[in-house]
Structures are given as structure tokens and as C-alpha cells.
Amino acid sequence: MKAIAPGMDRISGEGAFEYLAKAQGLEREGAHVLHFEIGQPDFPTPLHIKEAAFKAINENYTGYVAAGGIADLKAAIQEEIKRTRGFKPGADQILVLPGAKPGIFFSMLALVEAGDEVLYPDPAFPTYGSLVKYLNAADGAIPVKEENEFRLDPADIKKRLTAKTKLIILNSPQNPTGSVMTKDALLATAELAQKHGVYILSDEIYSKMLYDAAFYSPAALDEAKERTLILDGFSKSYSMTGWRLGYLVGPAAIIKKMEILMINALSCTASFVQKAGIAALEGSQEDLHKMMAAFRERRAAIVKGLNEIPGFSCLAPKGAFYAFPNIKKTGKTSREVADDLLYKAGVCCLPGSAFGPGGEGYLRFSYAASVETINEAVGKIKKACPKNKQYR
Ligand SMILES: Cc1ncc(COP(=O)(O)O)c(C=O)c1O
């Protein structure tokens, strides 16, 4: 038999799914595991969004629809971008997708060839690096440092820009660190991209999940007409991870090409799910506000709790719902500590190294769990520390 394509050895999965499987293995044996691994809000999808989907299905709105997205959802997205980013893109600048993730895949397929360099933060959402390797692109991972609150620094981007650089991937608020780039840094990065003729993929999936700062998009500079692609979606803000709904806003010529990728790969995004998306954008935002109020309380609880564990120290995340404690003083690798927490304390989190080499020495806790569960987890981790000394 001939070999499978070599690119398949360059593409990788996600640590979150690996640790979920480990935790589920323990649960099958009867263990009680507290879950902090998956980046998924623990709230139900708001009722009015579900009702919009029920209505669409009952009206038999269940067939194929336009590959790039239905006109009324695109119109809702145009208004949403105007409200939240300050400019109204054309309908031809929008591509509706089944989740945000295909937006990363398609943008990179459309823009990046073997040998092109892609700059992106390290640690980061694992899909970026996986696709860089899959496409045989030059890996331009830029370390984000705890001293800079894990923010990507435009000065570091500037140093790394070469003639080969094709794309800069930004993600603010960021997974896994919860960092938020300042408006000045985002603007400076957009200006660098303009000067060097480089594209930006701005992954803004956590754009509605900020605790202190206001949201800013680097797309404000070119209104997503020349080089900036905004990636956003419904999974996190509206608790819709399983629905699979996201979108890209970008230069019309690139969007048109990616619509052809949609036709080849997926035909279209589920019709009734798109109707639910309209209800999410146009309906009440009350559930989102309540969810963020809960995340704010949980953030306080987990940051306080993690800082009480000997050998751990944790900054307060500025956005998203991830705590990223430094565990370097334990003297163990992040995988060793994550495994210990799972097998000795029954607490499942992710090793920072699952997000790139820059994540070594850290853990990621997705605090999509109640304050009670957070406190229980902290208590269990403390107990797993012998005599409450340094965790070893
Ligand atoms: C930074 C980032 N981008 C994209 C995604 C993918 O979102 P979706 O589930 O809508 O595909 C995630 C999900 O965890 C994420 O953290």
C-alpha cells in the first residue's frame, strides 16, 4: 500500500481533546473529575436563539443555502461590525462558516504557500501552528512574555518581519493566556502590515468577552478591505459551540476565493443555524451580560485560589475565560503537573505546552465552572500538595 500524504504527519490535534479523553477514562472507572480543560462556556444557548432555530426547522428551512451565507445573516453581520468595529463592510466582504475554526483553515489555504512565513503568538490556539506546519510555511512563532502580561508586542513583530512574511495572526483577547493587546499595539501592528504589504488574520472570537478594556480591532485601519481579515463567531459569546457558526470579514477578492473553498469542502453552513445566528446578533444581549458577570466572579475566585497554591502564581486575565498560572517553581514540566492534578487531585486542566513551546511552565484553566467547583478544585489541589508545602 502506498503511504498517506506526508502533510498528515505535520498536522496535529488539540491538547484539550486529549485531556478530556483522559478525564473521561477516569470517570468511566468511577472517579469524580472537575473539568477545566475545554474552552466551552457552561451556560445553555439563550432560549430566543434556540427558538429561532426551532422555528426555521418547523418551517422546513432545512435545505442547502448560498455557499457564502444567507443574505439576512450577512445583513445582521454588517450591522454587528458597524456597531462593534465602527465600519460597515459590504455583503461581499462576509463569509459565513460552520464555526470560526474553518475560517483559520480557509484563510491560511487562501493566503499561505510553502515557504511563506506566518507570524503568530506563542503560546496560542494550537490550530495556527498546526496549519503553518501542514502548509510547509516558515514558522514565525513569537513568544509572548508574562512580563508583558502575555501581550504580543508590535516591536517583536517588527523585528521578525522579513520579505517572506505573508501573514500575521493576532488573537486578542487571547487563548490560552487571557491577554488583551492595547489599542495602540493593535494599531501599530496594523500599520506595520500596511507598510510591508502583509495580511492580518485577526481572530476576534473573544471580542465580547472583556473584563476591563474596551474592544478594538486592527481592521479599523483598512476596514477589512485591503489586508485584514476579522474572524468572529457565536461559539463562545452565545454559548453555541456545538451549533458550528462563525464568520470572516475581509477583502472581497479573498472572500470570493474562500467561498469556492466552502463549496468544495462544505457546500454551505447549516441553514437553520444561520437563522439562529440572526437571533443571536439582533436579539437581547441579556444572557451574554449575565454570563460575563458570572465569568467575572469566577475569574476572581480562580485567580485568588491559584495564587494560594505553593509554587503557583497567576495573573488576572483581561479577557476570555482562561487562567494561565505560572508553575515553574514546582520544578516540573507543565505536562507532569497537569497529569498530577488530574490523577492525584481529580482536577483536569491543560498543560501550557499544548499551546506551543512558549506555554511550557504554565497551565491553562478554562473557568467555565461555578465558583463552588472552582473552590473545590483549589481545595483538592492544595490537599494534593504534601503538607501544603511547595507542590512536588
Ligand atoms: C482563539 C480561538 N479561535 C477559534 C476558536 C474556534 O471556535 P469555533 O468553535 O467557533 O470553531 C477557538 C475555540 O476554542 C479559539 O479559542
Side-chain angles (χ1 to χ4, degrees):
M1 205 60 192
K2 294 192 179 182
I4 62 167
M8 291 296 102
D9 290 331
R10 298 194 301 271
I11 199 159
S12 43
E14 260 188 64
F17 292 103
E18 183 199 332
Y19 272 80
L20 177 65
K22 283 190 188 193
Q24 286 171 338
L26 285 177
E27 283 169 334
R28 272 195 300 277
E29 290 163 15
H32 174 55
V33 179
L34 301 175
H35 291 272
F36 294 89
E37 70 280 21
I38 292 282
Q40 150 161 282
D42 55 324
F43 295 89
T45 304
L47 186 61
H48 68 280
I49 300 177
K50 292 193 278 198
E51 279 173 343
F54 299 149
K55 181 166 178 286
I57 292 172
N58 285 332
E59 288 170 358
N60 294 314
Y61 194 69
T62 53
Y64 289 128
V65 287
I70 61 175
D72 41 355
L73 176 56
K74 282 193 180 185
I77 293 169
Q78 285 176 285
E79 290 306 319
E80 162 76 2
I81 297 295
K82 189 172 158 203
R83 241 184 341 264
T84 54
R85 277 78 164 181
F87 65 93
K88 186 173 174 180
D92 59 352
Q93 285 183 264
I94 295 169
L95 182 68
V96 176
L97 301 154
K101 247 184 189 174
I104 304 170
F105 202 14
F106 290 171
S107 302
M108 291 180 68
L109 280 183
L111 296 173
V112 179
E113 283 185 305
D116 288 342
E117 188 178 40
V118 181
L119 304 184
Y120 64 100
D122 172 27
F125 189 49
T127 304
Y128 311 148
S130 167
L131 291 175
V132 165
K133 290 177 188 72
Y134 176 64
L135 293 168
N136 260 333
D139 194 313
I142 301 179
V144 290
K145 298 178 204 89
E146 189 175 355
E147 304 86 85
N148 194 32
E149 295 184 329
F150 301 112
R151 285 189 301 259
L152 191 57
D153 187 339
D156 290 337
I157 298 176
K158 194 175 174 185
K159 272 188 236 147
R160 289 293 296 269
L161 274 166
T162 66
K164 284 196 310 184
T165 310
K166 189 75 176 284
L167 175 68
I168 303 169
I169 304 179
L170 300 177
N171 176 216
S172 175
Q174 208 229 10
N175 178 9
T177 64
S179 72
V180 174
M181 286 176 75
T182 62
K183 180 179 172 182
D184 285 353
L186 287 162
L187 192 56
T189 307
E191 283 167 354
L192 273 176
Q194 180 179 46
K195 191 170 160 208
H196 293 263
V198 170
Y199 292 101
I200 291 181
L201 172 61
S202 182
D203 184 341
E204 302 178 3
I205 186 95
Y206 299 103
S207 61
K208 292 182 192 289
M209 303 188 127
L210 283 132
Y211 301 103
D212 309 313
F215 179 73
Y216 182 77
S217 172
L221 190 67
D222 70 340
E223 301 195 343
K225 285 195 176 78
E226 308 289 333
R227 73 198 72 81
T228 315
L229 291 145
I230 295 174
L231 177 67
D232 205 340
F234 299 73
S235 297
K236 316 287 174 172
S237 319
Y238 299 105
S239 248
M240 291 176 74
T241 48
W243 292 71
R244 312 309 302 136
L245 187 62
Y247 60 87
L248 278 166
V249 180
I254 306 173
I255 292 290
K256 204 168 166 187
K257 292 291 182 200
M258 288 194 281
E259 196 175 304
I260 300 172
L261 288 177
M262 268 298 287
I263 292 170
N264 278 269
L266 298 145
S267 294
C268 62
T269 303
S271 48
F272 49 89
V273 169
Q274 296 193 50
K275 290 285 187 190
I278 299 169
L281 295 181
E282 293 182 347
S284 163
Q285 303 295 303
E286 195 49 34
D287 289 289
L288 166 64
H289 299 318
K290 279 191 196 148
M291 178 170 77
M292 285 313 292
F295 275 137
R296 192 180 283 277
E297 280 182 25
R298 294 158 172 200
R299 177 180 76 141
I302 198 156
V303 170
K304 179 174 175 287
L306 290 173
N307 276 313
E308 284 166 9
I309 296 166
F312 284 36
S313 65
C314 185
L315 296 177
K318 297 267 191 304
F321 46 94
Y322 306 117
F324 202 63
N326 181 327
I327 49 101
K328 290 178 187 169
K329 285 195 178 149
T330 64
K332 293 192 175 191
T333 67
S334 59
R335 232 167 215 282
E336 286 167 341
V337 179
D339 282 348
D340 277 354
L341 296 195
L342 178 59
Y343 294 108
K344 293 183 185 163
V347 175
C348 189
C349 65
L350 296 182
S353 56
F355 299 89
E360 186 48 82
Y362 299 88
L363 298 174
R364 191 196 78 170
F365 285 76
S366 163
Y367 48 90
S370 68
V371 169
E372 293 71 38
T373 305
I374 290 169
N375 289 337
E376 187 186 345
V378 170
K380 285 185 159 186
I381 299 172
K382 282 181 184 166
K383 261 200 190 152
C385 306
K387 299 197 186 70
N388 218 14
K389 290 220 180 77
Q390 180 109 317
Y391 175 81
R392 282 194 191 282

